[in-house]
Amino acid sequence: MCENLKINRSLFFLPLICRQCSTRPKLNSAKSTLMDSREINDVIVSRLDNFIENTGAIVLECGNYISITNLLDQYFQNKPPFAETGNKKSEFPDAIVLLATESWAKEEGIQVLAVASDKDWKNYCDTSANIDYIEDLANALSKFNKATAPFAFLSFLTSQLREKEDSAIDFVERIHNNLEMYFDGFTPDQEADSYHQWEPDGCHGWLSDFELTDYNFNIIDHSEDYIVLKMSANISVEVEGEFSLSHYDSIDRDYVNIGGVTTTTEAQFNSEILVTISGDLNGDLSNLEIEEVEVVNPIASVDFGTLEPDYSDDE
């Protein structure tokens, strides 16, 4: 039922929240530490008013939507959200909220998504025609985001990748091509070991290989015709480095050049990459353009191992 949700604003139960907050021991004890002269209830109401104004939340007066008879029937018949055992009196606030929400949703002809971590709430929502239940807030928000083109595209892309569709394979190959351009000629710091004194004379590298570690992509930015995705990738690079080697002459008390050495090494690292995609996000993957691929944490240095003079030209 969650896929059919139409509501785009949050519900807010002002009388209930004010009453509950004002009776909490921690808030009462904090009252004496407030520098402002306003009473704690005034502080709560002020913050709630700001929240409602900033978010456009709906303030639902529960008393306008509940029937005392219905409420008591739920209580005496042990119907959700009242538990069959335990202190049922403490569950009256939850029952009031849920029954009022159910009545309001029926009048408005809409579905409400309740976000909570409460077994009794879940039991009530399982039998409700107008209230769906979910425990994770991030998952709840994604139910609304999926209606937009960028989030629909993300869902489509990941499904194509998992099914190894040709268009998805080509899409990954185009990311590979952009990474090739990104790493073409890059110059990391040179690290090495040697029994001789060594100095770096420069290096250049290139992309060897890359693979996506998973398909748990995050949307960093988006509009109707572009999207920036954050992905995790294992990246392999090759680097060719040049070094000068020298040996200390104890007689002349100076370093004597004994030649140079050129060596190639490979390094692997993991990094997040930002992939900027533009075009019709509702169309085919093949029609989309990958404008840029940025490596968030590129490799900064490469170890070339142990350096030895190259005597092959002397033979």
Side-chain angles (χ1 to χ4, degrees), residues 160 163-171:
Q160 294 290 291
E163 294 171 6
K164 302 186 184 301
E165 296 289 341
D166 291 341
S167 59
I169 295 174
D170 175 72
F171 184 85

Side-chain angles (χ1 to χ4, degrees), residues 225-270:
D225 58 357
Y226 88 93
I227 187 171
V228 180
L229 296 179
K230 182 173 70 174
M231 308 176 178
S232 178
N234 291 323
I235 300 173
S236 298
V237 294
E238 288 188 66
V239 184
E240 181 181 274
E242 297 180 355
F243 300 85
S244 295
L245 300 178
S246 58
H247 183 74
Y248 184 73
D249 189 328
S250 59
I251 297 177
D252 294 335
R253 297 181 179 180
D254 197 5
Y255 284 94
V256 178
N257 186 284
I258 58 174
V261 60
T262 300
T263 183
T264 301
T265 189
E266 186 173 8
Q268 295 85 31
F269 66 99
N270 178 269

